[in-house]
Amino acid sequence: MPFPSAALAPGETVAASFAEQFAAVRRCTEELCAPLATEDYVIQSMPEASPAKWHLAHTSWFFETFVLHPHVPGYRSFHPEFNYLFNSYYQALGPRWARDQRGVLSRPTVEDTYRYRKYIDDQIRELLDAGNVAMLDRVADTIVLGLHHEQQHQELILTDLKHAFAQNPLRPAYHSAKRSIGAPPPSRWVRFAEALVEIGHAGAPEQRTGTFPQSSGPLFRGAHFAYDNERPRHKTLRPAFRLANRLVTNAEYLAFMTDGGYAKPQLWLSDGWAARQAGDWQAPLYWEKRDETWSTFTLTGQRPIGPDEPVCHVSYYEADAFARWARARLPTEAEWESAAETVAIGGHFLEAGRGQPGAMPAADDHGPLFQLFGDVWQWTASPHVSYPGYRQPAGALGEYNGKFMCNQMVLRGASCATPRSHARRTYRNFFPPEARWQFSGIRLASDA
Amino acid sequence: MPFPSAALAPGETVAASFAEQFAAVRRCTEELCAPLATEDYVIQSMPEASPAKWHLAHTSWFFETFVLHPHVPGYRSFHPEFNYLFNSYYQALGPRWARDQRGVLSRPTVEDTYRYRKYIDDQIRELLDAGNVAMLDRVADTIVLGLHHEQQHQELILTDLKHAFAQNPLRPAYHSAKRSIGAPPPSRWVRFAEALVEIGHAGAPEQRTGTFPQSSGPLFRGAHFAYDNERPRHKTLRPAFRLANRLVTNAEYLAFMTDGGYAKPQLWLSDGWAARQAGDWQAPLYWEKRDETWSTFTLTGQRPIGPDEPVCHVSYYEADAFARWARARLPTEAEWESAAETVAIGGHFLEAGRGQPGAMPAADDHGPLFQLFGDVWQWTASPHVSYPGYRQPAGALGEYNGKFMCNQMVLRGASCATPRSHARRTYRNFFPPEARWQFSGIRLASDA
Amino acid sequence: MPFPSAALAPGETVAASFAEQFAAVRRCTEELCAPLATEDYVIQSMPEASPAKWHLAHTSWFFETFVLHPHVPGYRSFHPEFNYLFNSYYQALGPRWARDQRGVLSRPTVEDTYRYRKYIDDQIRELLDAGNVAMLDRVADTIVLGLHHEQQHQELILTDLKHAFAQNPLRPAYHSAKRSIGAPPPSRWVRFAEALVEIGHAGAPEQRTGTFPQSSGPLFRGAHFAYDNERPRHKTLRPAFRLANRLVTNAEYLAFMTDGGYAKPQLWLSDGWAARQAGDWQAPLYWEKRDETWSTFTLTGQRPIGPDEPVCHVSYYEADAFARWARARLPTEAEWESAAETVAIGGHFLEAGRGQPGAMPAADDHGPLFQLFGDVWQWTASPHVSYPGYRQPAGALGEYNGKFMCNQMVLRGASCATPRSHARRTYRNFFPPEARWQFSGIRLASDA
Amino acid sequence: MPFPSAALAPGETVAASFAEQFAAVRRCTEELCAPLATEDYVIQSMPEASPAKWHLAHTSWFFETFVLHPHVPGYRSFHPEFNYLFNSYYQALGPRWARDQRGVLSRPTVEDTYRYRKYIDDQIRELLDAGNVAMLDRVADTIVLGLHHEQQHQELILTDLKHAFAQNPLRPAYHSAKRSIGAPPPSRWVRFAEALVEIGHAGAPEQRTGTFPQSSGPLFRGAHFAYDNERPRHKTLRPAFRLANRLVTNAEYLAFMTDGGYAKPQLWLSDGWAARQAGDWQAPLYWEKRDETWSTFTLTGQRPIGPDEPVCHVSYYEADAFARWARARLPTEAEWESAAETVAIGGHFLEAGRGQPGAMPAADDHGPLFQLFGDVWQWTASPHVSYPGYRQPAGALGEYNGKFMCNQMVLRGASCATPRSHARRTYRNFFPPEARWQFSGIRLASDA
């Protein structure tokens, strides 16, 4: 059973100690890697994806760089070259190993990498166990950020691995879990009236996660944490609109394909059509047609297309073209977030152990809005730009989100590869419009 | 004197006949080309720029394709291959000559091209002169669109030519007009309170330019026309903010450069820094340093940097980095447009005959806001996306703006290469964030 | 009639004065350009081709750089930037304008370029007319080299122009001359026994063209001149072999195509197959299939394939694949040259005015070997390397051929675009194996 | 001790049985991989290099494809996808996995790969043990070819691994063997008179390795085997020339560097200079300058430059430029081979266990010619073309060498990574002129 479960989710009600939460998140990353052969840790199948080994090391480097080095007097690096090797993109931290060359490195070995993780874990635990409240106040925010950061990489480990396995003609399977898919509810519009709404996270920028609590409180709970790009909470005029009650299914997407969706430039954005041409896209990523039947590669291997499952691995361009074909459009961030305000965070997360989106049994749904969280991230019509009043954090961590506010589109919700405790209504995920290897799908909207 | 003047600007008060307006715009294009040698019409200095010859033909093709072919019974094309050669990007109109190969075509010759223009002009005049009111009602909107389209290409003829001449070590000059530059007013902030404002153009989409008037009314006046991407007019919550009273000057931009602006990645967006590295940007486009002195290439040849002139030929990335350095930001579209509501449209347009931005003498300014129009287009912080309720026009003309609503940033105002009658408060110009060959500059904003 | 005729060919028997020969070659270049529109002079259709304007200037730059500057005291350059603009590839002469950007320059204009030519012509004539024998002794070799250099560019003007016109959907014609094609003689092998032969040019390297004669002797005659790469004449063991009596025809090449020649990798060199795939080659360059019929673009426009004409515009890779398909091979240089020793230089040259290869009427042929000269250059199996004992000339002119002795294949003979006086038995033309835009064809050989 | 020793070299005098020879070569490959971590088997550091895992599988695929499949009735493939995955470049065998994507495959795992090897070994042994003489006659040639093929890959395993390790900032060492380097003899010329010589291998093409002997004779000995490109033996006129008695040393190459060898285009071939510019070459591959001292990466890690060692990891372009600087040239194949006729095959091979070239102690040398074999392959001035009378073998194996007879230069000798039994006087190794990752060095020649 490759997917970690209970350990992962402190959730809303579990009040684990801070150290326990730290250990749980770190352990989850390693549990996700448990099914891998040593060789699987090493490969990089495209510049945007990273070897699992790199993810393991980089998430440790994060704690080393932002917590241990600045805050632990006399801290000794695990290895002098690791800052160079495992810095992802922080310009303020000096030069770094080229992103598209991560698959060229056989060393450190997987074993070395796990030793690195253990070294960092020991150091952090020691720091947490010391009971130095002043110190904890200084580092708590960054550790929490580091845990959320690590959760993002948990998702990337799965998406990058899926991409790598999909290239391989041997079609390796990551796991073999069964999946039971229920029929989705009928599609319908949910109408919202024009309103002056508030969106974004209310936490003050200076105080990223709240002061470190004396008790072992639920520090890590989603509600208390947010990235800088989710702030500040602010008013915006949301026009009247309609939001689809559920995700677009494979069956619906196939209708678009059958109707020539990939052959009609008039349905596509100009850059989207160019991407379609350059990549010779004929279907979502991983889809394959043999003998007139479509199948797709999943973490459990090659499988027939499930008509009731949410369509997945589409780019923004495809989502946008599909919406135009359906005489609809994608929702804006404000529309999505304000609609999500009334919905409980639930759904098909990493812990469900499927690694593949799937419609929940109808019985689980008490709508009107289904599948807002879990299954697939939902492309919005909103470019990733700063909210009014946004303040970029000082120092290297200011690069976390702020410098990516151009040429990227926001996705909302969460996916079947997202840890449950990582999901938030205000969460702004973002990827370039041509990205397809994330668990990304489509929810429609339209003018009211 | 290369710049056409009176003929160009029907302006707010001149009520020329429709045919006269058509003739004036068409003539202006040719007058802009008058200083060119035959060889200058042919070359293409980069994929984004086009030969002058191509602009002359493409603007004629526009009328042939969208007016003559569909509306004139039995219309005979000037040449059967011209639809293939001069279609710019309309997928609905079939395949077309590759954009980056426009400089490979020596034929049609310049003379052929002018004959093509004359043929089209004659056909359109005939159609207008026929006095068939029903016909005029059908074609008027498209002709007006074609004239605004041609004005866009007038600006491009100058920017493309400047780019081509700038590559040439012989540094040809397009004209030799004198320029007198006054000192700009001191920089200061103009404060605006939070407000629910309306932006966008009020004209109905179905009725792009109003019904064709029986009289020879001022059809072509800016106030009556708008592109589809400026519609619909809509409410938006504009936060409190401050807008700089004038454009950023070369002297101010030099301070950014001197302070290492091009060497500090922390000031740049991630994609911006990548573009800076890839292009080895050290200064705005066309700037050149010799013996510790900066000069720049202009349409009148190589000239020293004028410290009081607005900085020009910067990309969005540079504008954004400069703003961050200045502890400010770029304005959003809503901020810019709502601020511009109270300002009369005036400034330094194509008709000024300089082809180079330049601060107006202080005496001409009755602020508080200066240089909103003319001189340089102003990069905004807003990606080019659709307004709430936007409807893409039907047919091939729906491709005019709608398919470019991704990976492009909006610029507002107008430049020294924009015909005066082309400027509008609601005008949404857009270019990719790395574009530098337009007359694009910087106006700062900040949170209030 | 675009092709210059009498003026061009001093030939073996014409004893024109040196100044007359200089004038004749220079005039020929300009006569070749007479049919061009101004626009045709400007364009560059691929990096390997150059604008006609550039050829006109570069051949003048050659005399300015290698004759006038070093030998005329106080010589004043026509323009200070022209050394930068018109140096083709001589590293020793400093930096130069990028080869693939030659089509970006509208200036100097065509008129300026002709003025440059006239300036150089005047200077050279003055130098020749001065009757300073010591001076003439110093410059004669280089002037003769410059004339042969200019003749090479005469051929390139035609091949580059053909390439440019072929891109244009309007398919312009360079001229409209008629062509009468006779049937080629039946193909048969001519056998040669093993022999120790001498190949290469006998002239001493130090004395490129002989001392300048006091009388106006036939200095420029082919027999007296050779490029450095043709020297020294040397012995080599030529194995017994067989050489085809004539060139491969279009009909024969079509049989290869019909037999799947372009679809069978086993017929191709590895790099050749890669080039075929990358360029999607299905036929020689310029061939086009419509309605099951092949036609080709020529200097007189689009024309049906002439089955009896020599196949033309094939790369080395295609020539080699064809030979393998025909169970033959290409001849080596030594085989070709030693076979050519007994054949008079005659055939279908530039002066024939066709600009297209074509089998001579059978009556003109008194074999056994036909078409060794004229029609098309013949790819050999020999890479362009130095002969034993080769000495690279000193100075910048040492770069003329010496630095291209890698990754190029030798072609022998001459083409329908080669001036007659430029052809030589020892001539070693060379191009990269993928080049197709020259008039290059196939003569087969095989082991005896 | 990573380098296999005794097991590897059947040598001239060892008369091992065929099966023993097969086992020895196969075992040697695996012994070479013994020092690797699992991760090291997976990576591909550039398109031209392959993962060790791939080499292990491909050399097994060779026997499976060319011996087992065609000759063993009812043979069952180890895995149906392995022909697709491990076919290197044989077009006749169908499509194959892209060469530059070999590092993207984590599966088959290393363990799977060794199981594949064992499967093939068992099958071949069974075939050899069966004592079916008719069968052995049919397969012996191909098995011998497969063993030589595997030896080539033994060398590539080391050169590819060195390249991969050299990229890694951790600079892993493959082994830690000591090396003792003696001073080289003084450089001097050895003169050879003009002669009609014979070069190439005398074996008949139809009979690649001799008939399979009834006894367990020394089938595999170098003298009896040759690749098709070494045949036929043929006469050629070798001019008088001089050959350097030993290899160029690092000290000599440093003198070239110090004299600006990498900054003087006049020393370089045109394509060579372009490669130098594109790759920013300043020294041989793997050289690194820190604090004014040059060091180099070796299989034992980073080490100072040994001035007496042969220069290594230079391209043909660098070898050619060095020779020009030294007022010499590179030898032709005929020169090298005819000079080598009188020299015993000895030197510094794979079995020496250094994996790095090194001058032999002076006492070992009984010249006049030293270091013809072992240490480094020696670039010749000869392009890789067919010998007169060359016949490409039929079938897929005809692709082994024949299709690479273009754009490659011949290297002669053998290197410190070549198994001793693989070296031959007639051996024609070849690589593209820009290749630098092989153990390639320089021996000078000059006209007599």
Side-chain angles (χ1 to χ4, degrees), chain C residues 23-64:
Chain C
V25 172
R26 297 282 287 172
R27 190 169 53 242
C28 170
T29 308
E30 301 187 6
E31 286 175 8
L32 279 172
C33 292
L36 304 191
T38 300
E39 293 86 343
D40 299 332
Y41 285 89
V42 179
I43 56 175
Q44 176 175 38
S45 55
M46 64 170 173
E48 294 79 10
S50 296
K53 188 159 74 81
W54 186 89
H55 287 296
L56 291 174
H58 166 70
T59 46
S60 306
W61 166 91
F62 193 94
F63 291 107
E64 183 168 47

Side-chain angles (χ1 to χ4, degrees), chain C residues 1 50 75 117 122 125 129 138 164 204 238 240 254 257 291 301 306 313 317 327 332 357 369 376 416 447:
Chain C
M1 173 59 182
S50 296
Y75 174 74
R117 288 185 69 85
D122 290 348
R125 190 167 39 239
D129 289 354
R138 281 199 299 276
R238 186 203 66 196
L254 266 163
M257 288 165 55
D291 307 328
H313 296 301
Y317 296 131
R327 301 184 188 283
T332 64
L369 288 170
V376 293
C416 56
D447 294 345

Side-chain angles (χ1 to χ4, degrees), chain C residues 237-317:
Chain C
L237 184 68
R238 186 203 66 196
F241 78 107
R242 299 183 298 169
L243 190 66
N245 66 323
R246 62 156 171 80
L247 299 170
V248 169
T249 64
N250 283 331
E252 288 160 349
Y253 198 84
L254 266 163
F256 162 75
M257 288 165 55
T258 305
D259 193 40
Y262 282 90
K264 296 179 175 168
Q266 61 270 30
L267 295 174
W268 295 68
L269 288 164
S270 182
D271 288 354
W273 186 250
R276 190 216 94 56
Q277 300 290 84
D280 195 21
W281 296 347
Q282 307 282 353
L285 183 63
Y286 302 137
W287 287 36
E288 212 179 296
K289 197 177 196 174
R290 286 212 193 150
D291 307 328
E292 299 305 301
T293 309
W294 286 102
S295 67
T296 188
F297 182 75
T298 71
L299 287 169
T300 61
Q302 197 73 18
R303 291 190 23 232
I305 295 296
D308 288 343
E309 297 173 33
V311 67
C312 189
H313 296 301
V314 293
S315 64
Y316 171 75
Y317 296 131

Side-chain angles (χ1 to χ4, degrees), chain B residues 39-40 106-107 110 167-168, chain C residues 39-40 97 106-107 110 168:
Chain B
E39 293 87 341
D40 299 331
S106 59
R107 316 286 179 94
V110 172
Q167 312 307 308
N168 196 321
Chain C
E39 293 86 343
D40 299 332
W97 184 251
S106 58
R107 316 288 179 93
V110 172
N168 196 320

Side-chain angles (χ1 to χ4, degrees), chain B residues 35-46 53 79 81-82 84-85 97 101 103-111 164-165 167-170 172-173, chain C residues 35-46 53 79 81-82 84-85 97 101 103-111 164-165 167-170 172-173:
Chain B
L36 303 192
T38 301
E39 293 87 341
D40 299 331
Y41 284 90
V42 179
I43 57 176
Q44 175 175 39
S45 54
M46 64 171 174
K53 190 158 74 82
H79 192 290
E81 290 286 348
F82 278 19
Y84 179 73
L85 285 177
W97 184 251
Q101 297 294 307
V104 161
L105 303 174
S106 59
R107 316 286 179 94
T109 61
V110 172
E111 201 183 319
F165 278 4
Q167 312 307 308
N168 196 321
L170 304 181
Chain C
L36 304 191
T38 300
E39 293 86 343
D40 299 332
Y41 285 89
V42 179
I43 56 175
Q44 176 175 38
S45 55
M46 64 170 173
K53 188 159 74 81
H79 192 291
E81 291 286 347
F82 279 18
Y84 178 75
L85 284 178
W97 184 251
Q101 296 295 306
V104 161
L105 303 174
S106 58
R107 316 288 179 93
T109 61
V110 172
E111 200 184 320
F165 279 4
Q167 312 308 307
N168 196 320
L170 304 181

Side-chain angles (χ1 to χ4, degrees), chain D residues 82-297:
Chain D
F82 278 19
N83 182 54
Y84 178 74
L85 284 178
F86 299 120
N87 174 3
S88 50
Y89 57 65
Y90 296 87
Q91 300 273 2
L93 301 173
R96 71 216 70 89
W97 184 250
R99 183 189 185 193
D100 62 353
Q101 295 295 306
R102 291 175 184 163
V104 161
L105 304 173
S106 59
R107 315 289 179 91
T109 63
V110 172
E111 203 183 318
D112 294 338
T113 308
Y114 277 112
R115 272 197 283 116
Y116 180 37
R117 287 185 70 84
K118 186 169 180 326
Y119 180 84
I120 299 303
D121 286 351
D122 290 349
Q123 297 279 336
I124 294 281
R125 190 166 42 242
E126 206 169 295
L127 186 150
L128 294 180
D129 288 354
N132 178 340
V133 174
M135 164 71 89
L136 289 177
D137 264 352
R138 280 199 299 276
V139 301
D141 282 1
T142 310
I143 291 180
V144 170
L145 178 64
L147 292 177
H148 283 277
H149 171 259
E150 181 135 359
Q151 287 187 312
Q152 287 189 280
H153 281 276
Q154 288 167 6
E155 180 150 3
L156 291 173
I157 285 172
L158 286 185
T159 54
D160 291 359
L161 197 72
K162 182 172 181 176
H163 190 268
F165 279 4
Q167 311 309 308
N168 196 321
L170 304 180
R171 296 291 154 97
Y174 170 70
H175 75 124
S176 58
K178 287 282 185 359
R179 305 178 324 122
S180 64
I181 304 296
S187 172
R188 68 175 193 83
W189 292 117
V190 181
R191 198 185 183 289
F192 294 83
E194 181 185 287
L196 208 56
V197 300
E198 285 205 331
I199 65 166
H201 197 275
E206 296 74 20
Q207 183 185 342
R208 263 196 303 276
T209 58
T211 302
F212 186 73
Q214 302 306 313
S215 70
S216 58
L219 222 213
F220 181 57
R221 296 189 326 182
H224 287 224
F225 173 83
Y227 289 118
D228 58 282
N229 65 344
E230 303 170 46
R231 281 190 298 264
R233 189 160 180 85
H234 62 284
K235 280 180 296 179
T236 189
L237 183 69
R238 186 202 67 194
F241 79 108
R242 299 183 300 167
L243 190 65
N245 66 322
R246 61 158 172 80
L247 299 170
V248 170
T249 64
N250 283 332
E252 288 160 349
Y253 198 83
L254 266 164
F256 162 73
M257 288 164 57
T258 305
D259 193 39
Y262 282 90
K264 295 179 177 168
Q266 61 269 32
L267 295 173
W268 296 68
L269 288 164
S270 182
D271 287 355
W273 186 250
R276 190 215 96 53
Q277 299 291 83
D280 195 19
W281 296 349
Q282 307 282 352
L285 183 63
Y286 301 138
W287 286 38
E288 210 178 297
K289 196 176 197 175
R290 284 209 194 153
D291 308 328
E292 299 306 301
T293 310
W294 286 101
S295 68
T296 188
F297 182 74

Side-chain angles (χ1 to χ4, degrees), chain B residues 63-272:
Chain B
F63 290 107
E64 183 169 47
T65 303
F66 294 113
V67 178
L68 298 174
H69 260 303
H71 296 295
V72 176
Y75 173 74
R76 292 188 50 188
S77 296
F78 181 75
H79 192 290
E81 290 286 348
F82 278 19
N83 184 54
Y84 179 73
L85 285 177
F86 300 119
N87 174 4
S88 52
Y89 55 64
Y90 296 86
Q91 301 272 3
L93 300 173
R96 70 216 70 87
W97 184 251
R99 184 189 184 193
D100 60 354
Q101 297 294 307
R102 289 176 185 162
V104 161
L105 303 174
S106 59
R107 316 286 179 94
T109 61
V110 172
E111 201 183 319
D112 293 340
T113 307
Y114 277 113
R115 270 197 284 119
Y116 180 36
R117 288 185 70 84
K118 185 167 183 328
Y119 181 84
I120 299 302
D121 285 351
D122 289 350
Q123 297 278 336
I124 294 282
R125 189 167 39 237
E126 207 169 295
L127 187 149
L128 294 180
D129 288 354
N132 177 340
V133 174
M135 164 71 87
L136 289 177
D137 263 353
R138 280 198 299 278
V139 301
D141 282 2
T142 309
I143 291 180
V144 169
L145 178 63
L147 292 177
H148 283 276
H149 170 260
E150 182 136 358
Q151 288 188 311
Q152 286 189 282
H153 282 276
Q154 289 167 5
E155 179 150 6
L156 291 172
I157 285 173
L158 286 186
T159 55
D160 291 0
L161 197 71
K162 181 173 181 177
H163 189 269
F165 278 4
Q167 312 307 308
N168 196 321
L170 304 181
R171 296 294 156 93
Y174 169 71
H175 74 125
S176 57
K178 288 280 186 1
R179 306 177 325 119
S180 63
I181 304 296
S187 173
R188 68 176 194 79
W189 293 117
V190 180
R191 198 185 183 289
F192 293 83
E194 181 184 289
L196 209 54
V197 299
E198 287 206 330
I199 65 166
H201 196 275
E206 294 76 18
Q207 184 185 343
R208 263 196 304 278
T209 58
T211 301
F212 185 72
Q214 301 309 313
S215 70
S216 57
L219 222 212
F220 180 58
R221 297 190 325 183
H224 287 223
F225 174 83
Y227 289 119
D228 58 281
N229 66 343
E230 302 170 45
R231 283 189 296 262
R233 189 161 180 85
H234 62 284
K235 279 181 297 176
T236 188
L237 184 67
R238 185 201 67 195
F241 78 107
R242 299 183 299 168
L243 190 66
N245 65 322
R246 62 159 170 80
L247 299 171
V248 169
T249 63
N250 284 330
E252 288 160 349
Y253 198 82
L254 266 164
F256 162 73
M257 288 165 58
T258 305
D259 193 40
Y262 281 89
K264 296 179 176 168
Q266 63 270 29
L267 295 173
W268 295 69
L269 287 164
S270 182
D271 288 354

